[in-house]
Amino acid sequence: MTDTTARPRTDGGVVAPAGGAVGTARTRLEGRDKVTGAARYAADVPFDGLAHGWLVLSTVARGRITSMDTAAVLGMPGVLGVVHHGNAPRLHPAGLFGPDGQLQLLQDDRVPHVGRPVALVVARTPQQARAGAAALTVTYAQEPHDTVFRAGHPAGRPAPAAPARPDADLGDVEAEIAAAPVVVDQRYTTPEEHHSAMEPHASMARWEDGRLEVVDSNQGSFMVARVLATLFGLDQEIVRVRAEHVGGGFGSKGVGPQLVLAVMAATLLRRPVRVALTRRQVFSTTGLRPATEQRLRLASDSTGRLRAIDHATAAFTSTIQEYVERNTEASNVMYAADAIRTRTTVVPLDLPTPGWMRGPGAAAGSFALESAMDELAQAVGVDPVELRLRNEPSAGPVSGLPFSSRNLAACLREGARRFGWADRDPRPGTRREGRWLLGTGVACGSYGAGALPSTAAITARADGSYTVSVGAADIGTGARTALALVAADALGVPPESVRMRIADSRLGAAWFAGGSKGTASWSWAVTAAAADLRERLASVDRVPPDGVTGRGDTTDAIGALGKQERQSYGAQFAEVAVDTGTGEVRVRRMLGMFAAGRIVNPLTARSQLVGGMTMGLSMALHEEGARDEALGALVNSDFAGYHISAHADVPDIEADWVEDVDDSNPSGIKGVGEVGIAGTAAAIANAVWHATGVRHRALPVRLDRVLESGFPAAR
Ligand code: MOS
């Protein structure tokens, strides 16, 4: 591959290296299909004899099902069957990352939370299935439940260590804090949040000639097929899963409940069954980000040099699966300190199982760490950009490992220059514009980078075209297009001669669209396949009619990689206006400068970064799942009650990047999917402090919280 590190400009264009497709701005290959409606999503694909399944969800938070009146429903028009724990196929333990209790659907009479699927009504039309589901009477023996999270909950227990990152125990945190002249010791909370992909989860399953065919909305068809095969005790060879177009996932589209139930129904009824969730069902039963409570203690000398970082976090999980929200990652890598300690607690409650969501761990973790850094800057009397520069590490602060590349300081400096940070008056509450108080804030973020094992194949045809087959997923990110550019450069051909086949489990093993590692992982496999193909082509006079195929598998190469700290980094700047009458916070502008390795397609990479920053804004000011304590149920499970930043909330957002060369792997790609959300909420909360002089340590920064903080009356 040629060295095609993108050189950025702010207008979205890029100076392309001669002949290089990587680094040039390209619109999506499937863009026209999407805007004309030709692109089919999982619920759009027609099948002969298709039946429709409708979920029935539990209405109690804890207990047992004592009866289910299926007879009445089976007599309703069009109803073909009811799948429930009394007749559902038995499942084997399975999951994306080890056995997952969430997938053990309809296996017994236990109800672990409100919104757990307890039955699937299948009918000829969706309307008939919905009517049947509404009519199904389920009786429960209810038990007392507990759905109220707090860090000190007696059920809390230490989380198992992350595979690659045990709890940090560098130096003596208590001794450093006791001896330091400046200490910040604060608690920060973030609420339950919901992924809210535009396309609700949907799956179709059918048996054809002894093979299971699935059309799904997921983030990785190969991994989903593998889980399905294990779950149902099938040979993976007979399971085919496809997800050609996916309208967002944000971590929620692994193996969805609708898929497991569709396969069950197709198996029992011997006909194709589609299950499409409603928006409310998506909220109830497809995962969430858990609420967190984090305590941050920072100690520094009088110049702001950090002596200690002590980061303890707690988050809830369900009683059926232990999901750990890894909030302390950033505290391991962001700043040099003499002592660093991290601890993670999980609290099992009678709630749906949380899952990876939009920068899992980092989104909430960076809010706590980067808010505390702002508080330290205030306490020491050092500019918050300068404070971060003073604590820039030369190697992994805890691990001691070299950074594959970093360039966070460059992000801070270039961001500060473009944002006009030098003109900022450090005193809070000094800028007024009519009824508005104005303030600016900064925060940093990081997100794990790297690649995971994947395979790819490229077939050269006699007509000069190349077909790239890789089990990638494009969930709206632009992955399909990025991979075409990577393939074109690796083959030394124009992108127009490359055709992409993705999102089909038959295409072979591949990492999924998650952890911001999709494009890096698949690109490497595509590059390897291209190298293999070029070798094969060199040994033939002309391409035979059935083509020549090269293959790549990165498993060994990734296994042989040396240990390094691999992260994308960003520096985020925000300006807010706070209404002195209503307490409303409006974000006026945001700038994110990122160090994210090689940027493959500046057009879609910028979209992802802007998207991440928008999610951060949404987290800072809007998103909050509200639960009723007595019912244990989410009360705002729709977009009227659960507000996500809309156009009117989102100001001028600029995202750009500095040169960041990561030579530790051949793709040089670090991923842009999630780093945009890391630090954004802190930058906004820090700007609110600068505007008002009041610190907000609980997200979202709602207008009632601003008013009740004593602002502006207390000023
Ligand atoms: Mo993303 S939350 O890594 O699917």
Side-chain angles (χ1 to χ4, degrees), residues 562-587:
K563 283 197 168 181
Q564 287 187 311
E565 287 290 354
R566 295 187 169 85
Q567 287 91 25
S568 290
Y569 290 94
Q572 309 253 7
F573 297 81
E575 178 169 353
V576 303
V578 181
D579 189 316
T580 52
T582 67
E584 183 186 15
V585 177
R586 305 288 304 179
V587 175

Side-chain angles (χ1 to χ4, degrees), residues 330-331 333-335 362-374 384-389 391-392 406-413 441-447 568-574 591-594 674-684 686:
S331 293
V333 299
M334 290 302 286
Y335 304 113
S366 64
F367 168 64
L369 176 63
E370 294 295 315
S371 293
M373 284 294 282
D374 207 61
V385 171
E386 173 60 25
L387 178 73
R388 287 166 171 87
L389 292 171
N391 289 288
E392 177 67 12
R406 186 161 160 108
N407 293 313
L408 175 59
C411 294
L412 277 165
R413 291 199 177 95
V442 65
C444 292
S446 67
Y447 201 77
S568 290
Y569 290 94
Q572 309 253 7
F573 297 81
L591 167 68
M593 285 301 297
F594 299 94
E674 290 164 292
V675 69
I677 189 171
T680 315
I684 291 167
N686 294 342

Side-chain angles (χ1 to χ4, degrees), residues 195 219 249-252 355-360 447 475 512-516 674:
H195 301 77
Q219 296 181 218
F250 307 119
S252 76
W356 290 10
M357 176 178 145
R358 308 191 219 144
Y447 201 77
I475 58 175
F512 74 124
S516 297
E674 290 164 292

Side-chain angles (χ1 to χ4, degrees), residues 31-39:
R32 187 184 169 83
D33 282 353
K34 281 185 172 167
V35 298
T36 57

Side-chain angles (χ1 to χ4, degrees), residues 339-371:
I340 300 178
R341 178 166 67 187
T342 66
R343 292 291 183 268
T344 302
T345 298
V346 280
V347 180
L349 295 173
D350 302 311
L351 289 168
T353 310
W356 290 10
M357 176 178 145
R358 308 191 219 144
S366 64
F367 168 64
L369 176 63
E370 294 295 315
S371 293

Side-chain angles (χ1 to χ4, degrees), residues 645-666:
S645 300
H647 278 294
D649 302 306
V650 178
D652 171 20
I653 297 186
E654 188 186 346
D656 209 343
W657 43 85
V658 299
E659 182 157 316
D660 182 38
V661 179
D662 181 348
D663 288 331
S664 71
N665 79 66

